[in-house]
């Protein structure tokens, strides 16, 4: 039993040492990511969730209808999971500064906060995610990189009680 406890502590310790992006990281393009421009209109996203051991646990497609009115960006997200289940989440985001954002959505605890820097956007929040037998409260450290005018790559790191539990990888494709 003691060996199992030591093994679990080692895995948790190693998972805490994995590298994560930072807004100060070198930019790989001269693009300026403007959230309100990219998400204003129709966007389709393809993604998956992997647990901390790398096992893909869930895949999904998201249809997003965005509306920017000059002050507020509303994102109506409709998820369809590979198992056929669906989920809707509506984000309401407002620009709080030249490069900063705040937002809310059902299940989000308090307010999400984000910052754009060059081709990168970082978004952090705590949310009660729906799961088959209730909800699971997790923290998201969500990173987006604008790859082109019509494509954004997203990597979100998920933690529960301060411990990494998995990652979500998504590709957003703006429909023109």
């Amino acid at each position: 039993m003691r060996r199992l406890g030591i093994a679990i502590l080692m895995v948790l310790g190693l998972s805490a040492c994995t590298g994560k992006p930072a807004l100060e990281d070198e930019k790989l393009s001269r693009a300026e990511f403007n959230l309100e421009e990219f998400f204003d209109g129709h966007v389709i996203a393809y993604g998956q969730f992997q647990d901390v051991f790398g096992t893909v646990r869930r895949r999904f497609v998201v249809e997003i209808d965005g509306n920017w009115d000059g002050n507020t960006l509303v994102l109506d997200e409709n998820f369809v999971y590979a198992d056929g289940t669906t989920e809707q989440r509506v984000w309401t985001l407002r620009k709080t500064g030249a490069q900063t954002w705040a937002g809310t959505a059902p299940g989000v605890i308090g307010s999400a906060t984000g910052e754009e820097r060059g081709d990168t956007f970082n978004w952090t929040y705590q949310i009660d995610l729906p799961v088959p037998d209730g909800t699971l409260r997790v923290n998201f450290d969500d990173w987006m990189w604008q790859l082109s005018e019509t494509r954004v790559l997203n990597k979100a790191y998920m933690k529960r009680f301060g411990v990494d539990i998995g990652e979500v990888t998504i590709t957003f494709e703006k429909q023109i």
Side-chain angles (χ1 to χ4, degrees):
M1 186 62 137
R2 181 181 166 151
R3 283 186 182 168
L4 177 61
I6 291 171
I8 289 172
L9 286 175
M10 288 177 63
V11 167
L12 294 176
L14 287 173
S15 71
C17 296
T18 59
K20 304 275 189 329
L23 285 172
E24 296 76 25
D25 289 349
E26 180 181 351
K27 301 302 170 227
L28 300 178
S29 77
R30 293 179 189 215
E32 291 293 322
F33 190 11
N34 292 303
L35 204 66
E36 66 275 28
E37 289 176 19
F38 185 83
F39 284 102
D40 187 27
H42 190 70
V43 176
I44 299 175
Y46 305 88
Q48 66 183 27
F49 167 73
Q50 290 177 237
D51 67 22
V52 72
F53 301 108
T55 303
V56 175
R57 296 291 180 183
R58 212 151 190 216
R59 285 201 173 111
F60 54 87
V61 175
V62 188
E63 296 265 347
I64 304 167
D65 289 308
N67 183 17
W68 170 246
D69 69 6
N71 296 308
T72 304
L73 176 62
V74 176
L75 301 176
D76 184 355
E77 302 177 333
N78 291 285
F79 292 77
V80 177
Y81 293 93
D83 65 5
T85 60
T86 62
E87 178 184 350
Q88 181 186 36
R89 181 171 299 120
V90 178
W91 281 95
T92 302
L93 294 82
R94 60 185 169 71
K95 206 153 190 168
T96 57
Q99 298 175 312
T100 57
W101 290 84
T104 59
V108 171
I109 311 306
S111 183
T113 59
E115 183 177 348
E116 299 166 326
R117 193 163 313 162
D119 61 0
T120 306
F121 178 67
N122 178 226
W123 187 239
T124 59
Y125 54 96
Q126 186 176 59
I127 188 170
D128 286 334
L129 286 177
V131 292
D133 41 343
T135 59
L136 181 68
R137 184 165 290 180
V138 296
N139 292 305
F140 270 84
D141 184 11
D142 210 333
W143 291 87
M144 296 181 190
W145 298 272
Q146 187 159 15
L147 303 178
S148 72
E149 284 186 34
T150 59
R151 187 161 290 146
V152 167
L153 177 64
N154 178 209
K155 184 89 159 194
Y157 302 93
M158 297 171 59
K159 288 188 178 212
R160 182 163 166 82
F161 303 122
V163 177
D164 291 333
I165 62 168
E167 299 176 358
V168 178
T169 306
I170 305 173
T171 302
F172 295 96
E173 296 179 2
K174 184 168 181 72
Q175 308 299 294
I176 297 181

PDB file of all heavy atoms in Angstrom, residues 145-156:
ATOM      1  N   TRP A 145      -3.938  30.185 -30.140  1.00  0.00           N
ATOM      2  CA  TRP A 145      -2.966  30.783 -31.027  1.00  0.00           C
ATOM      3  C   TRP A 145      -3.591  30.924 -32.406  1.00  0.00           C
ATOM      4  O   TRP A 145      -4.075  29.941 -32.979  1.00  0.00           O
ATOM      5  CB  TRP A 145      -1.707  29.931 -31.135  1.00  0.00           C
ATOM      6  CG  TRP A 145      -0.992  29.770 -29.830  1.00  0.00           C
ATOM      7  CD1 TRP A 145      -0.044  30.595 -29.299  1.00  0.00           C
ATOM      8  CD2 TRP A 145      -1.150  28.707 -28.886  1.00  0.00           C
ATOM      9  NE1 TRP A 145       0.381  30.115 -28.088  1.00  0.00           N
ATOM     10  CE2 TRP A 145      -0.283  28.954 -27.815  1.00  0.00           C
ATOM     11  CE3 TRP A 145      -1.960  27.561 -28.840  1.00  0.00           C
ATOM     12  CZ2 TRP A 145      -0.183  28.108 -26.719  1.00  0.00           C
ATOM     13  CZ3 TRP A 145      -1.862  26.723 -27.751  1.00  0.00           C
ATOM     14  CH2 TRP A 145      -0.977  27.003 -26.707  1.00  0.00           C
ATOM     15  N   GLN A 146      -3.574  32.139 -32.954  1.00  0.00           N
ATOM     16  CA  GLN A 146      -4.129  32.350 -34.291  1.00  0.00           C
ATOM     17  C   GLN A 146      -3.091  31.894 -35.305  1.00  0.00           C
ATOM     18  O   GLN A 146      -2.001  32.439 -35.402  1.00  0.00           O
ATOM     19  CB  GLN A 146      -4.505  33.814 -34.516  1.00  0.00           C
ATOM     20  CG  GLN A 146      -5.227  33.980 -35.827  1.00  0.00           C
ATOM     21  CD  GLN A 146      -6.051  35.249 -35.883  1.00  0.00           C
ATOM     22  OE1 GLN A 146      -5.894  36.138 -35.071  1.00  0.00           O
ATOM     23  NE2 GLN A 146      -6.933  35.316 -36.853  1.00  0.00           N
ATOM     24  N   LEU A 147      -3.456  30.841 -36.054  1.00  0.00           N
ATOM     25  CA  LEU A 147      -2.555  30.273 -37.044  1.00  0.00           C
ATOM     26  C   LEU A 147      -2.705  30.950 -38.407  1.00  0.00           C
ATOM     27  O   LEU A 147      -1.757  31.008 -39.182  1.00  0.00           O
ATOM     28  CB  LEU A 147      -2.804  28.770 -37.184  1.00  0.00           C
ATOM     29  CG  LEU A 147      -2.682  27.956 -35.893  1.00  0.00           C
ATOM     30  CD1 LEU A 147      -2.998  26.497 -36.169  1.00  0.00           C
ATOM     31  CD2 LEU A 147      -1.301  28.111 -35.282  1.00  0.00           C
ATOM     32  N   SER A 148      -3.928  31.397 -38.703  1.00  0.00           N
ATOM     33  CA  SER A 148      -4.216  32.106 -39.951  1.00  0.00           C
ATOM     34  C   SER A 148      -5.487  32.922 -39.727  1.00  0.00           C
ATOM     35  O   SER A 148      -6.064  32.879 -38.636  1.00  0.00           O
ATOM     36  CB  SER A 148      -4.413  31.117 -41.105  1.00  0.00           C
ATOM     37  OG  SER A 148      -5.650  30.427 -40.978  1.00  0.00           O
ATOM     38  N   GLU A 149      -5.938  33.637 -40.743  1.00  0.00           N
ATOM     39  CA  GLU A 149      -7.168  34.419 -40.602  1.00  0.00           C
ATOM     40  C   GLU A 149      -8.371  33.539 -40.286  1.00  0.00           C
ATOM     41  O   GLU A 149      -9.341  34.005 -39.696  1.00  0.00           O
ATOM     42  CB  GLU A 149      -7.448  35.200 -41.883  1.00  0.00           C
ATOM     43  CG  GLU A 149      -6.576  36.414 -42.043  1.00  0.00           C
ATOM     44  CD  GLU A 149      -6.978  37.238 -43.255  1.00  0.00           C
ATOM     45  OE1 GLU A 149      -8.181  37.297 -43.589  1.00  0.00           O
ATOM     46  OE2 GLU A 149      -6.073  37.818 -43.865  1.00  0.00           O
ATOM     47  N   THR A 150      -8.312  32.262 -40.679  1.00  0.00           N
ATOM     48  CA  THR A 150      -9.471  31.383 -40.519  1.00  0.00           C
ATOM     49  C   THR A 150      -9.235  30.207 -39.570  1.00  0.00           C
ATOM     50  O   THR A 150     -10.103  29.352 -39.434  1.00  0.00           O
ATOM     51  CB  THR A 150      -9.912  30.820 -41.886  1.00  0.00           C
ATOM     52  OG1 THR A 150      -8.816  30.091 -42.462  1.00  0.00           O
ATOM     53  CG2 THR A 150     -10.349  31.938 -42.824  1.00  0.00           C
ATOM     54  N   ARG A 151      -8.081  30.155 -38.912  1.00  0.00           N
ATOM     55  CA  ARG A 151      -7.804  28.993 -38.054  1.00  0.00           C
ATOM     56  C   ARG A 151      -7.120  29.399 -36.756  1.00  0.00           C
ATOM     57  O   ARG A 151      -6.163  30.159 -36.755  1.00  0.00           O
ATOM     58  CB  ARG A 151      -6.933  27.998 -38.803  1.00  0.00           C
ATOM     59  CG  ARG A 151      -6.756  26.692 -38.020  1.00  0.00           C
ATOM     60  CD  ARG A 151      -6.300  25.555 -38.896  1.00  0.00           C
ATOM     61  NE  ARG A 151      -7.411  25.192 -39.762  1.00  0.00           N
ATOM     62  CZ  ARG A 151      -7.280  24.752 -41.013  1.00  0.00           C
ATOM     63  NH1 ARG A 151      -6.100  24.612 -41.543  1.00  0.00           N
ATOM     64  NH2 ARG A 151      -8.329  24.444 -41.734  1.00  0.00           N
ATOM     65  N   VAL A 152      -7.646  28.844 -35.643  1.00  0.00           N
ATOM     66  CA  VAL A 152      -7.077  29.044 -34.309  1.00  0.00           C
ATOM     67  C   VAL A 152      -6.878  27.686 -33.660  1.00  0.00           C
ATOM     68  O   VAL A 152      -7.760  26.822 -33.729  1.00  0.00           O
ATOM     69  CB  VAL A 152      -8.006  29.936 -33.440  1.00  0.00           C
ATOM     70  CG1 VAL A 152      -7.614  29.892 -31.973  1.00  0.00           C
ATOM     71  CG2 VAL A 152      -7.992  31.368 -33.957  1.00  0.00           C
ATOM     72  N   LEU A 153      -5.715  27.491 -33.049  1.00  0.00           N
ATOM     73  CA  LEU A 153      -5.416  26.277 -32.291  1.00  0.00           C
ATOM     74  C   LEU A 153      -5.606  26.593 -30.816  1.00  0.00           C
ATOM     75  O   LEU A 153      -5.175  27.643 -30.336  1.00  0.00           O
ATOM     76  CB  LEU A 153      -3.971  25.825 -32.546  1.00  0.00           C
ATOM     77  CG  LEU A 153      -3.509  24.601 -31.756  1.00  0.00           C
ATOM     78  CD1 LEU A 153      -4.310  23.368 -32.160  1.00  0.00           C
ATOM     79  CD2 LEU A 153      -2.024  24.374 -31.953  1.00  0.00           C
ATOM     80  N   ASN A 154      -6.269  25.677 -30.101  1.00  0.00           N
ATOM     81  CA  ASN A 154      -6.578  25.871 -28.684  1.00  0.00           C
ATOM     82  C   ASN A 154      -6.083  24.673 -27.890  1.00  0.00           C
ATOM     83  O   ASN A 154      -6.326  23.530 -28.254  1.00  0.00           O
ATOM     84  CB  ASN A 154      -8.095  26.028 -28.551  1.00  0.00           C
ATOM     85  CG  ASN A 154      -8.591  26.195 -27.131  1.00  0.00           C
ATOM     86  OD1 ASN A 154      -9.694  25.816 -26.826  1.00  0.00           O
ATOM     87  ND2 ASN A 154      -7.819  26.783 -26.251  1.00  0.00           N
ATOM     88  N   LYS A 155      -5.379  24.961 -26.789  1.00  0.00           N
ATOM     89  CA  LYS A 155      -4.949  23.921 -25.855  1.00  0.00           C
ATOM     90  C   LYS A 155      -5.354  24.401 -24.470  1.00  0.00           C
ATOM     91  O   LYS A 155      -4.952  25.484 -24.044  1.00  0.00           O
ATOM     92  CB  LYS A 155      -3.444  23.744 -25.941  1.00  0.00           C
ATOM     93  CG  LYS A 155      -2.903  22.647 -25.097  1.00  0.00           C
ATOM     94  CD  LYS A 155      -2.898  21.357 -25.865  1.00  0.00           C
ATOM     95  CE  LYS A 155      -1.925  20.396 -25.277  1.00  0.00           C
ATOM     96  NZ  LYS A 155      -1.651  19.305 -26.148  1.00  0.00           N
ATOM     97  N   ALA A 156      -6.190  23.625 -23.795  1.00  0.00           N
ATOM     98  CA  ALA A 156      -6.665  23.998 -22.467  1.00  0.00           C
ATOM     99  C   ALA A 156      -6.183  22.963 -21.461  1.00  0.00           C
ATOM    100  O   ALA A 156      -6.376  21.760 -21.655  1.00  0.00           O
ATOM    101  CB  ALA A 156      -8.190  24.077 -22.457  1.00  0.00           C
TER     102      ALA A 156
END
